[in-house]
C-alpha cells in the first residue's frame, strides 16, 4: 500500500534526522522531572508516612475503577487465640492527658527561652484548653461573669492574652462581691475569689515551681467556708499539682502522702491516673515494696494498661536479677526462673509499647513530654522515659538486661498489625496521632518500620537510569545515537510486522478508508 510505505518512510526519515543533542535533552529532561518527583515523594513520605501517588491512586482513582475494600476483612483482626474479632478502632487511638505533664511557665517556657523551639504543638495545647473548660467550669447555664471570662481565656492562643484574662476574671470577681455585699462588711472578709484564674497563673505566669506552688495554695484556700464555689474537678486538679510541686521540690514523702490522700478521698477518679504519679514518687524513694503493692492493685487484666504500669513491673522483676546477669553465662547454663520471669516481663512491656527501649537505652534523644499522650505510641514512650530513665539507671544492670532481651519480643509477634501475643494487635493509627502531639523537630518513632513505597523506589530508579543515559549521550554522542536508533527500530519492528500481516489479510479498500478516517 502506497500510504503505508509513505508512513514508514517518514518514520525512518524522522529517526535519521534526530541529532545527539536531542537525545541529551530528552534524557536530561526525563532525569530532571523524575528527580523532582522523587524529592516530593520522599518529603511527603517523611512528613505523612505514605506515598502521595499511592494515596491519590487509592483515594481517587480506585473508586472510579470500581475497586472497593473487602468488607469481610476490613474491620477484623486476629486475637491471641486466632479468632476474628472486631478491631476497637475508636478507643485504640484515644488521646489521654499526660499524668506527669510539666508546668508551662516554669518548665516548657524556660526550654523555649533557651533553645528558641516550641516544645508543645497547637493541637496539644488545644486539647488542654478543652480539658480546662470541661474540668474547671460547671453548668454553662449558671456561669458567673468571671467564669465566662476564664472559658474564653483557656481558648486564647497567646499566653499573654490568657494571663491578662485571668487577672480580668479576678478583678471582675472582686467587683461583683463588693457591689453585692457592700452593706454587709462581714461577708467581704470571705470573698470566694476565682480559683480557676489562679490555676492559670500558676501554670503559665509562674516562672519557678516555688511560685507555682504558692499560687496553687492560694487557689486551694479560696472560698473559706464557701467550699461549694470550688468545683470538685478543680479541687482534685489543684491538690494533684501541689503534690507534683512537692515532688519537684524534693519533698517526696510529703508528695506521696498527698497523692495517697487524694486517691483515698476520690476513689472514683481512677481515670485521672493519679497512681502513675504515685509510682514515680515511690520509685524515687526506692520504696520498691510499696511500688509492688500499687502494681498489685492496678496491673490487673480488667484495667487499662499503660507504659508506666508495664515497664515498672518489668523494672521490679529485672532489678531482682540484673546485678548478677551475664549474657554469656545465661547462654551456657540457660535462664533461671527469676531471669525468665524478668525477660517475659520485658517482652510484655515491649509488646505494649515498642518505642520505649530506644529512649531508655539512649539510642534516641529525649525531648520534653507533651501534655497529652497516645497509649502505645511514641508520645507515651517519650513521657515515660523522660521521668523514669533515672530509675532504670539506678537499678544496677537493669538497662543491660533490657539491652540484651528487648528485641526478642519481635520474634514472638512477627506480624504485630495482624495478631498480638499478650495484647491486641498494635494499632495502625499511632504515627498520625503522634505527629500531631509531638513537635516537628522530633523524629517520630514508627512501628512496625515502614518499607519505602514502590513509587519512591521506582522514581529513584527512573531518575538514576535517565541521568546515566544523559551522561553517556553527552560523552559518546555518535555511539549513543546509533544505539538509540537501533533500540527504537527494534522496539517498533513488531508493530511493522503486525501491520504487514494485517495488510495481507485485509482488503486494500479497507485500509484506504481507514487511512482517510
Amino acid at each position: 500500500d502506497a500510504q503505508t510505505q509513505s508512513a514508514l518512510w517518514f518514520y525512518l526519515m524522522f529517526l535519521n534526522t534526530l541529532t545527539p543533542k536531542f537525545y541529551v535533552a530528552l534524557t536530561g529532561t526525563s532525569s530532571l522531572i523524575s528527580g523532582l518527583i522523587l524529592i516530593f515523594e520522599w518529603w511527603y513520605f517523611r512528613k505523612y508516612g505514605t506515598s502521595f501517588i499511592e494515596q491519590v491512586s487509592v483515594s481517587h482513582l480506585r473508586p472510579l475503577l470500581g475497586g472497593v475494600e473487602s468488607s469481610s476483612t476490613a474491620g477484623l483482626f486476629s486475637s491471641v487465640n486466632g479468632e476474628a474479632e472486631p478491631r476497637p478502632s475508636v478507643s485504640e487511638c484515644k488521646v489521654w492527658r499526660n499524668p506527669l505533664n510539666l508546668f508551662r511557665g516554669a518548665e516548657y517556657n524556660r526550654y523555649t527561652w533557651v533553645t528558641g523551639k516550641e516544645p508543645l504543638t497547637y493541637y496539644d495545647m488545644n486539647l488542654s484548653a478543652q480539658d480546662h473548660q470541661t474540668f474547671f467550669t460547671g453548668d454553662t447555664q449558671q456561669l458567673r461573669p468571671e467564669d465566662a471570662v476564664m472559658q474564653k481565656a483557656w481558648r486564647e492562643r497567646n499566653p499573654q492574652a490568657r494571663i491578662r484574662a485571668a487577672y480580668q476574671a479576678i478583678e471582675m470577681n472582686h467587683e461583683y462581691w463588693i457591689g453585692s455585699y457592700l452593706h454587709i462588711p462581714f461577708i467581704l472578709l470571705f470573698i470566694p475569689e476565682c480559683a480557676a484564674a489562679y490555676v492559670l497563673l500558676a501554670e503559665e505566669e509562674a516562672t519557678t515551681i516555688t511560685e507555682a506552688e504558692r499560687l496553687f495554695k492560694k487557689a486551694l484556700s479560696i472560698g473559706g467556708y464557701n467550699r461549694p464555689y470550688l468545683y470538685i474537678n478543680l479541687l482534685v486538679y489543684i491538690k494533684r499539682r501541689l503534690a507534683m510541686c512537692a515532688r519537684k521540690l524534693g519533698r517526696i514523702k510529703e508528695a506521696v502522702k498527698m497523692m495517697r490522700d487524694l486517691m483515698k478521698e476520690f476513689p472514683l477518679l481512677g481515670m485521672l491516673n493519679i497512681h502513675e504519679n504515685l509510682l514515680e514518687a515511690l520509685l524515687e524513694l526506692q520504696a520498691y515494696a510499696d511500688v509492688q503493692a500499687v502494681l498489685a492493685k492496678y496491673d490487673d487484666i480488667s484495667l487499662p494498661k499503660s507504659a508506666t504500669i508495664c515497664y515498672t513491673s518489668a523494672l521490679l522483676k529485672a532489678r531482682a536479677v540484673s546485678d548478677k546477669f551475664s549474657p554469656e553465662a545465661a547462654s551456657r547454663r540457660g535462664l533461671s526462673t527469676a531471669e525468665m520471669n524478668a525477660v517475659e516481663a520485658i517482652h510484655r512491656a515491649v509488646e505494649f509499647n515498642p518505642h520505649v527501649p530506644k529512649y531508655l537505652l539512649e539510642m534516641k534523644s529525649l525531648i520534653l513530654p507533651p501534655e497529652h499522650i497516645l497509649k502505645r505510641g511514641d508520645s507515651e514512650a517519650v513521657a515515660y522515659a523522660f521521668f523514669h530513665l533515672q530509675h532504670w539507671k539506678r537499678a544496677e544492670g537493669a538497662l543491660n538486661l533490657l539491652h540484651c532481651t528487648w528485641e526478642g519480643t519481635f520474634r514472638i509477634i512477627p506480624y504485630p498489625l495482624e495478631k498480638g501475643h499478650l495484647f491486641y494487635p498494635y494499632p495502625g493509627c499511632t504515627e498520625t496521632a503522634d505527629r500531631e502531639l509531638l513537635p516537628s523537630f522530633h523524629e517520630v518513632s514508627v512501628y512496625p518500620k515502614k518499607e519505602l513505597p514502590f513509587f519512591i523506589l521506582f522514581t529513584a530508579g527512573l531518575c538514576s537510569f535517565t541521568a546515566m543515559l544523559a551522561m553517556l549521550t553527552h560523552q559518546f554522542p555518535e555511539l549513543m545515537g546509533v544505539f538509540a536508533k537501533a533500540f527504537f527500530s527494534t522496539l517498533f519492528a513488531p508493530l511493522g510486522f503486525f501491520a504487514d500481516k494485517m495488510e495481507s489479510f485485509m482488503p486494500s479498500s479497507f485500509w484506504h478508508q481507514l487511512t482517510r478516517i
Side-chain angles (χ1 to χ4, degrees), residues 475-489:
Q475 293 293 329
F476 311 101
E478 299 297 334
L479 179 62
M480 291 302 293
V482 173
F483 172 77
K485 292 174 183 177
F487 173 76
F488 283 115
S489 299

Side-chain angles (χ1 to χ4, degrees), residues 294-305 309-310 313 348:
V294 175
L295 286 177
K297 181 178 180 180
Y298 289 96
D299 193 6
D300 186 83
I301 191 172
S302 62
L303 297 177
K305 299 294 182 291
I309 293 291
C310 295
S313 177
R348 171 178 179 261

Side-chain angles (χ1 to χ4, degrees), residues 107-117:
E107 293 173 304
Y108 286 120
N109 285 351
R110 292 176 69 180
Y111 176 84
T112 303
W113 297 336
V114 173
T115 65
K117 297 178 180 178

Side-chain angles (χ1 to χ4, degrees), residues 402-456:
L402 177 68
H403 174 73
C404 296
T405 58
W406 75 280
E407 291 181 323
T409 310
F410 307 126
R411 291 192 290 270
I412 302 175
I413 44 172
Y415 304 104
L417 296 179
E418 301 172 9
K419 186 176 180 180
H421 179 61
L422 298 175
F423 300 99
Y424 286 124
Y426 191 78
C429 61
T430 57
E431 181 186 359
T432 303
D434 280 333
R435 291 184 188 278
E436 295 286 343
L437 291 171
L438 296 170
S440 58
F441 58 82
H442 173 72
E443 184 179 354
V444 175
S445 178
V446 179
Y447 175 78
K449 198 68 177 178
K450 289 187 176 181
E451 297 181 356
L452 287 177
F454 165 76
F455 287 105
I456 288 184

